[in-house]
Amino acid sequence: MSFTAPLLAWQGIHGRHDLPWQKTQDAYRIWLSEIMLQQTQVTTVIPYYQRFLDSFPNVIQLAEAPIEKVIEHWAGLGYYARARNLHRCAQQVTEHYGGQFPDDPEKLAELPGIGRSTAAAIAAFAYGKQAAILDGNVKRVLCRHFGIDGFPGLAAVDRKLWLLAESLLPESGIESYTQGLMDLGATVCTRNRPRCTDCPVAADCIARRENRQKELPVARPKKMVPERHSCFVLISDGRGLLLERRPPSGLWGGLLVPPEGEPDAVSSRYGLNILSARHLPPLKHTFTHFKLQIEAVLCHVSPESVVRESGLEWVALEQAADAGVPTPMRKLIRLVANAKD
Ligand code: SF4
């Protein structure tokens, strides 16, 4: 196999062999390290792991310890749900399995805080079981090497990755292979700077061949932001600009904005006599929940069409941009004011 065999050989020479939780088949120690490593770097985990073992040398002692003491030992590692699950898991292993972690990955995955991938790692390292891991690092390696498109968080892609991970398992040497996958993801096929020249599986790697290391794995799709369209009429009598004060709540609440609507509708709303009209360059403005396509029309009106209505204000052209108007309107007003100079 062009993936499994070179990875196994590489792990023997270049992989990590001296981590404190290696060279043991004690499921308790392996489980503890796997949980600690779920969201935390190896270098941070090492002193915590050692302190934990000093205070709770086996699963029964951990189960019997008060939760406060467990949390105290976890303090600084973050993601405290892990510590609470750790304690609950220790209690269940003690109660249901007599203090012995089961060797069946499915049974392991039923325990608190142990997902399918962690269950496989424990089963492989502690009991030599043929079980596939698939954590974030492994997903990255597989997506790149096998050129798997699609966001790995999608159910269909996730299924495909599990099938692939299972199909790659070696006939023997599951411990070294599992460790090799972890080592490759953590030290060579890293998120930002994969070291393809040092990679044991580079020869058949699709991402490398197609130079798609940055594209794979596919990032979480961005939420579609709806688009709206609005027309604003910048009404000028040559000296001032007619602005409308928005109601206090809603979009641009309380700000001054040029009247919104098509020029004909706006002019008949305010009884304006439009002398000329010209379109200004369109603008796009992004809000948190939508994008606004802004069409703007500059209309010159005869000076006598001065409107006096509550909520409407004539503001001198030179001052209008700084009169409490929203950002995209400021851009438009500056355009009009500069064209006047
Ligand atoms: Fe990752 Fe590069 Fe190796 Fe491909 S060749 S698996 S991208 S490190």
Side-chain angles (χ1 to χ4, degrees):
M1 279 193 275
S2 62
F3 184 87
T4 307
L7 183 62
L8 260 172
W10 174 84
Q11 206 286 325
I13 303 164
H14 300 285
R16 298 174 293 185
H17 297 272
D18 300 315
L19 298 172
W21 41 86
Q22 292 181 304
K23 299 196 181 91
T24 179
Q25 289 192 306
D26 180 350
Y28 171 65
R29 289 172 177 242
I30 291 163
W31 162 73
L32 183 60
S33 69
E34 288 300 324
I35 302 296
M36 286 186 165
L37 288 165
Q38 273 171 2
Q39 274 114 344
T40 313
Q41 302 265 341
V42 165
T43 44
T44 310
V45 163
I46 291 174
Y48 280 89
Y49 173 80
Q50 277 158 344
R51 256 198 318 273
F52 234 86
L53 284 180
D54 289 343
S55 298
F56 316 111
N58 58 54
V59 72
I60 296 173
Q61 276 170 284
L62 178 58
E64 287 171 350
I67 180 67
E68 295 75 23
K69 196 174 171 201
V70 177
I71 299 272
E72 201 181 291
H73 279 69
W74 196 273
L77 269 181
Y79 301 97
Y80 292 92
R82 283 189 293 171
R84 285 187 286 274
N85 278 333
L86 194 85
H87 193 233
R88 281 176 50 223
C89 180
Q91 290 174 330
Q92 290 190 17
V93 170
T94 304
E95 210 173 303
H96 304 313
Y97 297 102
Q100 197 68 45
F101 278 84
D103 63 0
D104 177 352
E106 285 185 19
K107 287 221 158 51
L108 282 165
E110 288 167 6
L111 291 165
I114 302 185
R116 184 171 167 187
S117 183
T118 302
I122 300 167
F125 287 135
Y127 304 115
K129 293 278 172 185
Q130 291 289 102
I133 59 162
L134 189 63
D135 61 12
N137 280 358
V138 178
K139 284 180 189 172
R140 182 171 63 250
V141 171
L142 297 185
C143 284
R144 284 180 176 162
H145 187 269
F146 294 93
I148 292 178
D149 285 302
F151 170 53
L154 295 173
V157 181
D158 187 65
R159 254 195 315 276
K160 193 169 173 181
L161 284 167
W162 275 109
L163 286 174
L164 177 61
E166 278 164 352
S167 74
L168 295 167
L169 295 178
E171 278 169 19
S172 62
I174 185 73
E175 300 89 338
S176 301
Y177 172 77
T178 305
Q179 187 63 51
L181 261 182
M182 291 178 172
D183 295 348
L184 189 68
T187 66
V188 177
C189 194
T190 53
R191 188 192 306 265
N192 295 324
R193 287 187 190 182
R195 295 188 291 116
C196 300
T197 44
D198 296 327
C199 177
V201 293
D204 295 325
C205 176
I206 292 179
R208 185 190 190 214
R209 194 166 65 219
E210 298 176 0
N211 203 17
R212 295 176 66 207
Q213 294 95 324
K214 282 199 183 126
E215 285 165 39
L216 296 171
V218 171
R220 178 188 295 279
K222 288 205 179 101
K223 264 212 218 138
M224 287 293 288
V225 184
E227 269 194 15
R228 290 193 210 157
H229 167 268
S230 264
C231 181
F232 293 87
V233 187
L234 283 86
I235 298 162
S236 172
D237 63 356
R239 286 169 295 141
L241 206 60
L242 190 65
L243 299 176
E244 236 174 11
R245 174 101 33 211
R246 291 260 174 166
S249 59
L251 184 68
W252 295 328
L255 297 184
L256 282 170
V257 178
E260 189 174 350
E262 295 300 322
D264 286 351
V266 170
S267 71
S268 71
R269 192 155 84 220
Y270 298 125
L272 296 166
N273 178 20
I274 295 181
L275 302 174
S276 67
R278 100 180 141 84
H279 276 85
L280 297 171
L283 281 182
K284 199 183 259 190
H285 190 74
T286 306
F287 295 89
T288 340
H289 302 300
F290 68 97
K291 282 186 186 152
L292 186 63
Q293 295 272 9
I294 298 172
E295 183 189 341
V297 183
L298 173 63
C299 289
H300 279 107
V301 294
S302 55
E304 61 273 14
S305 339
V306 173
V307 189
R308 304 233 175 267
E309 267 191 41
S310 73
L312 282 177
E313 292 179 28
W314 279 98
V315 182
L317 257 179
E318 297 71 26
Q319 289 158 15
D322 301 314
V325 297
T327 312
M329 295 303 143
R330 191 175 306 146
K331 285 185 196 159
L332 288 170
I333 293 168
R334 289 218 169 105
L335 211 69
V336 174
N338 292 342
K340 185 183 164 244
D341 295 340

